[in-house]
Amino acid sequence: MSRYAETYEAWKNDPEGFWADAAQEIDWAQPWDRVLETDGGGANWFSGALCNTCYNCLDRHVENGRGDQAALIYDSPITGKQKTFTYAELLDKVACFAGVLQANGVGVGDRVILYMPMVPQAAVAMLACARLGAVHSVVFGGFAANELATRIDDAKPKLIVTASCGIEPGRVIAYKPLLDGAIELASHKPETCIILQREQEPAELTPGRDLDWKHEMEKAAASSNKPACVDVAATDPLYVLYTSGTTGQPKGVVRDNGGHMVALKWSMKNIYGMDPGDVWWAASDVGWVVGHSYIVYGPLLHGCTTILFEGKPVGTPDAGTFWRVISEHKVRAFFTAPTAFRAIKKEDPKASLIANYDLSGFETLFLAGERADPDTIQWAEKALKVPVIDHWWQTETGWSIAANPVGLGALPVKHGSPTVAMPGYDVQVVDEAAKPVATGETGAIVVKLPLPPGCLPTLWENEEGFRASYLEDYPGFYKTADAGFMDEDGYLYIMSRTDDIINVAGHRLSTGGMEEVLAGHPDVAECAVMGIADKLKGQVPVGLLVLNAGVDRSDGDIAREAVHLVRDKIGPVAAFKTALIVQRLPKTRSGKILRGTMRKIADGEAWKMPATIDDPAILDEITGVLVDAGLVSGK
Ligand code: COA
Ligand code: AMP
């Protein structure tokens, strides 16, 4: 029997008591005055309390006898390297790097941007910031200089930590030109950059600005400059993580220290069913929220061994890599995005490579980051013979809004549903007037305020933007910007976004942001980007471009430049490979581009001619272009 219903009820009856109990799992330097403080906007959890996230992730485990246990296993099939750090070793490295940061003037509240590949030093730098009360902001390595510059200007970091390169299958990506380009573009200039030299492509350091990671670490170790944890307020920011909004300007999601620790610790046991000492693996990237919550903070807060994997589900070296890592490191539960399983299924449809590995210790597969399609879930269930658990959350929440809580006793799985609302979340499906819709009917998914611990209290230096983005449309509720329905058992089904965000291989991207870039092409008069269904990545962006009158260059050249421009300005992660030249874009009489209708045509879904369309003939023209491009069947 699952204890879910009684646990959810216990939270509903006494939300503050519920989280105060959960908070007993954390070591506080000073207890809170109030569990919850809110003025109807963002919630402040555990105000008055003092704490340190790094202390709870590392020091306390070492003090309690976990020093010799593996804390982090770096497994990098892309470089052929592996290295295990015990809790004591990781603490030493983190304290040392905190010394380096401190020696370079970083203190409480200062921002530090981390632009790092999947190497252990990325986690070390995050925890070192936490140790000092500095605020890290990790930028995913697949973003281009321009995106890094936007984040530099918003976060205004004192210092940037980066590596000389990242490694993708078949190519080494030099980070230094991207870093230099970003600093050149940004108005804010960080004082110092610390660069981790990697043997695949060392960088030439800029005198007076750049420092060498290894050299600085040796200096800190020699002078025993290893600062202790600095107590910060529970409500102080631990990090800012930028995520795509509806424009090219990303949103700086703020995460606090206290509530975040309480929520993640609770989730490790109750949602993921993990115990301290277990080996846990989240195959994501530290540049995404999954990496923050479940590569670094969650598993370490819980005393687990976490795996930091630098590789891909396929091609490093084959579609058996995941099974190799699970068996070699005795992983008990594993978390990844459905797209990774679709990639494996494509390479090894019969999952024949599994037979090469002993997966007897493997218990549960968790999927999130995009809709888990029933086909993929069924394939994984059959191949792995373990429960496959879909769960739904966002950068903003930091942990599951809906899940199947394995630690409380799993509920029956319904394919296509991430199961039920977690304690802390009163999830409702509503219409445009914020009125609940009937069971089974699709609507906007909202969460009654206040949001639970762990969720964003605000956007970085942008309280107004926070309220406008999340709170204003449905007064008293948080807008998830996801749409879907709830069935008669309270199971949620998350079907689509209500804004212009698309989900490409589990990565959240703004079509509005891509449109802003395309509009910058000198020959483009107007454009629209839509996310169309893709068998591997879930969705991929397609751009439709209307050219300026009189442009006499070839369509092919302009399309190629457009693709290049998005890669150059946003980054390869946008996976923008298709730009199509069209004569006109379909619009409503008030001038709104009918992106939704075009997407339905491209996806072969049923669609109705919008009553407000200005000129219905344009949809035929667009269909013709999509057919010619092979995106829609001509039948
Ligand atoms: N640095 C630089 N470039 C990067 C990068 C990084 N950290 N991560 C990805 N890229 C590049 C890729 O090399 C690729 O470039 P290309 O256009 O030259 O081929 C492009 O960005 C798109 O990357 P990706 O979406 O990862 O596609 P892919 O075709 O390389 O791989 C999958 C497809 C399914 C294997 C891959 O998307 C994957 O492993 N997904 C797992 C999803 C995941 O971890 N999501 C995180 C949220 S849980
Ligand atoms: P991100 O903030 O990058 O984690 O992306 C969050 C968005 O991804 C959500 O708002 C959803 O649109 C989508 N998403 C995440 N997990 C799921 C899931 N399990 N099912 C459906 N959509 C999901």
Side-chain angles (χ1 to χ4, degrees):
M1 264 300 272
S2 173
R3 286 184 291 116
Y4 165 72
E6 68 195 63
T7 308
Y8 192 78
E9 213 39 44
W11 162 71
K12 256 203 138 161
N13 290 335
D14 179 13
E16 292 188 27
F18 182 91
W19 291 117
D21 278 352
Q24 302 302 327
E25 294 277 316
I26 298 300
D27 281 3
W28 303 89
Q30 179 180 298
W32 52 89
D33 302 322
R34 297 188 56 185
V35 177
L36 170 66
E37 244 176 18
T38 178
D39 59 1
N44 288 321
W45 287 95
F46 307 107
S47 57
L50 294 178
C51 58
N52 185 284
T53 296
C54 179
Y55 177 80
N56 277 277
C57 286
L58 299 176
D59 302 62
R60 71 158 170 171
H61 297 313
V62 174
E63 287 166 16
N64 295 337
R66 214 172 268 288
D68 292 336
Q69 181 200 307
L72 185 146
I73 301 173
Y74 168 57
D75 187 311
S76 171
I78 207 151
T79 61
K81 290 214 166 77
Q82 272 195 29
K83 192 166 163 59
T84 298
F85 299 82
T86 64
Y87 269 95
E89 287 165 345
L90 189 60
L91 171 56
D92 188 63
K93 292 258 179 277
V94 167
C96 226
F97 194 64
V100 172
L101 292 175
Q102 199 177 54
N104 284 287
V106 173
V108 177
D110 288 331
R111 274 81 58 213
V112 176
I113 280 191
L114 312 178
Y115 185 56
M116 297 288 273
M118 281 292 285
V119 291
Q121 289 85 351
V124 167
M126 289 165 80
L127 290 157
C129 288
R131 191 167 191 84
L132 296 177
V135 180
H136 62 69
S137 188
V138 185
V139 179
F140 178 62
F143 282 123
N146 195 51
E147 291 284 322
L148 179 57
T150 312
R151 287 153 175 82
I152 292 174
D153 275 338
D154 199 71
K156 300 187 182 57
K158 186 161 239 171
L159 187 146
I160 297 183
V161 184
T162 189
S164 59
C165 64
I167 305 158
E168 285 292 291
R171 70 195 162 108
V172 172
I173 295 139
Y175 277 16
K176 189 65 190 339
L178 299 167
L179 175 77
D180 291 346
I183 294 177
E184 175 82 31
L185 284 168
S187 324
H188 173 83
K189 309 287 177 195
E191 289 159 31
T192 312
C193 297
I194 299 178
I195 310 214
L196 175 76
Q197 296 283 19
R198 303 188 78 187
E199 65 191 37
Q200 291 78 8
E201 183 155 346
E204 199 171 308
L205 304 189
T206 303
R209 189 197 72 189
D210 295 350
L211 301 172
D212 176 83
W213 171 292
K214 189 158 170 264
H215 182 240
E216 294 305 304
M217 284 291 266
E218 282 164 2
K219 253 181 22 195
S223 61
S224 295
N225 181 19
K226 297 178 189 174
C229 294
V230 175
D231 292 338
V232 295
T235 50
D236 277 347
L238 169 69
Y239 69 76
V240 178
L241 178 59
Y242 289 88
T243 189
S244 296
T246 47
T247 65
Q249 179 66 34
K251 295 171 172 172
V253 169
V254 173
R255 194 81 59 213
D256 67 6
N257 276 275
H260 176 241
M261 285 196 280
V262 171
L264 290 192
K265 180 83 170 75
W266 187 90
S267 72
M268 286 304 295
K269 175 69 195 162
N270 294 288
I271 297 179
Y272 299 108
M274 299 300 288
D275 291 317
D278 285 342
V279 182
W280 159 265
W281 179 24
S284 178
D285 188 289
V286 288
W288 307 115
V289 71
V290 176
H292 283 65
S293 294
Y294 294 112
I295 294 174
V296 181
Y297 291 113
L300 296 178
L301 284 166
H302 202 46
C304 292
T305 300
T306 187
I307 293 179
L308 191 135
F309 173 77
E310 189 183 27
K312 300 268 174 179
V314 293
T316 57
D318 58 30
T321 299
F322 278 4
W323 328 135
R324 197 257 315 147
V325 173
I326 291 171
S327 80
E328 196 170 323
H329 303 302
K330 304 193 168 42
V331 171
R332 188 170 163 210
F334 171 47
F335 176 171
T336 192
T339 216
F341 268 75
R342 290 196 295 268
I344 295 171
K345 184 174 151 206
K346 196 170 153 207
E347 289 279 309
D348 181 18
K350 298 212 163 82
S352 53
L353 293 171
I354 291 183
N356 302 341
Y357 301 97
D358 172 11
L359 301 187
S360 54
F362 179 46
E363 287 178 17
T364 324
L365 170 66
F366 292 93
L367 298 176
E370 59 179 319
R371 181 172 153 75
D373 51 293
D375 277 358
T376 304
I377 297 184
Q378 276 157 11
W379 185 85
E381 282 173 341
K382 197 163 154 233
L384 289 165
K385 300 179 183 61
V386 297
V388 178
I389 306 287
D390 178 18
H391 58 319
W392 166 60
W393 50 293
Q394 317 179 300
T395 305
E396 287 84 347
T397 65
W399 65 287
S400 299
I401 311 171
N404 194 342
V406 169
L408 293 172
L411 297 164
V413 169
K414 293 194 194 184
H415 292 153
S417 167
T419 319
V420 290
M422 287 297 93
Y425 298 95
D426 178 352
V427 180
Q428 303 190 13
V429 186
V430 299
D431 62 16
E432 274 170 17
K435 292 273 167 301
V437 299
T439 300
E441 222 171 82
T442 297
I445 307 183
V446 296
V447 181
K448 194 158 187 292
L449 296 176
L451 290 172
C455 296
L456 80 172
T458 188
L459 290 176
W460 180 251
E461 293 188 332
N462 188 8
E463 175 66 17
E464 207 179 297
F466 167 68
R467 288 174 186 255
S469 298
Y470 302 107
L471 309 183
E472 272 169 14
D473 290 355
Y474 303 96
F477 293 91
Y478 163 81
K479 176 175 84 174
T480 66
D482 280 316
F485 61 94
M486 195 184 278
D487 75 7
E488 59 289 352
D489 299 322
Y491 279 54
L492 278 158
Y493 292 77
I494 314 300
M495 306 309 290
S496 59
R497 292 282 301 193
T498 58
D499 55 14
D500 73 357
I501 300 291
I502 58 171
N503 199 312
V504 181
H507 310 319
R508 170 171 160 179
L509 296 163
S510 159
T511 53
M514 292 185 219
E515 287 176 5
E516 280 174 33
V517 170
L518 292 169
H521 188 289
D523 294 337
V524 171
E526 230 188 345
C527 63
V529 174
M530 55 184 182
I532 67 166
D534 181 78
K535 275 209 175 76
L536 176 65
K537 298 193 178 193
Q539 283 183 305
V540 287
V542 167
L544 302 173
L545 314 178
V546 178
L547 304 184
N548 286 316
V551 171
D552 58 0
R553 302 175 53 229
S554 90
D555 286 2
D557 281 352
I558 295 171
R560 265 188 297 281
E561 286 165 13
V563 166
H564 189 263
L565 199 59
V566 174
R567 193 175 174 94
D568 193 45
K569 293 270 189 230
I570 297 179
V573 67
F576 183 82
K577 309 242 159 150
T578 312
L580 304 172
I581 312 297
V582 297
Q583 294 307 313
R584 307 178 288 173
L585 288 169
K587 292 184 188 164
T588 61
R589 282 191 282 277
S590 58
K592 218 172 143 248
I593 297 174
L594 291 162
R595 293 179 181 77
T597 311
M598 290 194 286
R599 183 197 59 74
K600 282 188 179 151
I601 294 173
D603 287 351
E605 283 177 24
W607 60 278
K608 274 203 295 236
M609 183 64 72
T612 55
I613 193 165
D614 188 29
D615 181 354
I618 303 178
L619 282 177
D620 292 335
E621 289 171 21
I622 298 289
T623 307
V625 172
L626 293 172
V627 170
D628 290 346
L631 296 172
V632 174
S633 103
K635 281 183 277 162

